[in-house]
Amino acid sequence: MKNNIKELRKAMKISQQDLADRCNVTRQTINAIENEKYDPSLQLAFDLAKNLNTTVDKLFISEQ
């Protein structure tokens, strides 16, 4: 699933590790999501959106 996590994270000057700590996951999880190798759980998607000051529907892009 395509996403805007990397762009939003960099705009906020947050490292992968900082975002991971805020969402209670590993840096590797954030990296895998950013590189579209892993789709987050619904709860993690909400946590990511909250920490990046956006909404889930703006964070993830449907590929349909």
Side-chain angles (χ1 to χ4, degrees):
M1 180 180 306
K2 294 205 178 278
N3 65 72
N4 298 315
I5 295 170
K6 187 174 190 174
E7 293 81 7
L8 292 170
R9 178 180 61 73
K10 286 190 170 195
M12 294 179 67
K13 298 183 178 165
I14 301 171
S15 70
Q16 285 184 340
Q17 187 62 60
D18 290 338
L19 183 57
D21 291 344
R22 293 179 186 192
C23 295
N24 296 312
V25 296
T26 64
R27 184 199 58 78
Q28 290 85 351
T29 298
I30 299 299
N31 183 273
I33 295 168
E34 285 184 356
N35 290 302
E36 301 172 20
K37 294 181 180 182
Y38 174 74
D39 289 332
S41 67
L42 187 56
Q43 182 60 56
L44 180 52
F46 277 107
D47 290 345
L48 289 165
K50 178 182 174 188
N51 282 288
L52 293 170
N53 298 322
T54 190
T55 59
V56 172
D57 61 319
K58 290 181 181 172
L59 191 59
F60 296 94
I61 301 136
S62 176
E63 296 183 77
Q64 294 181 346

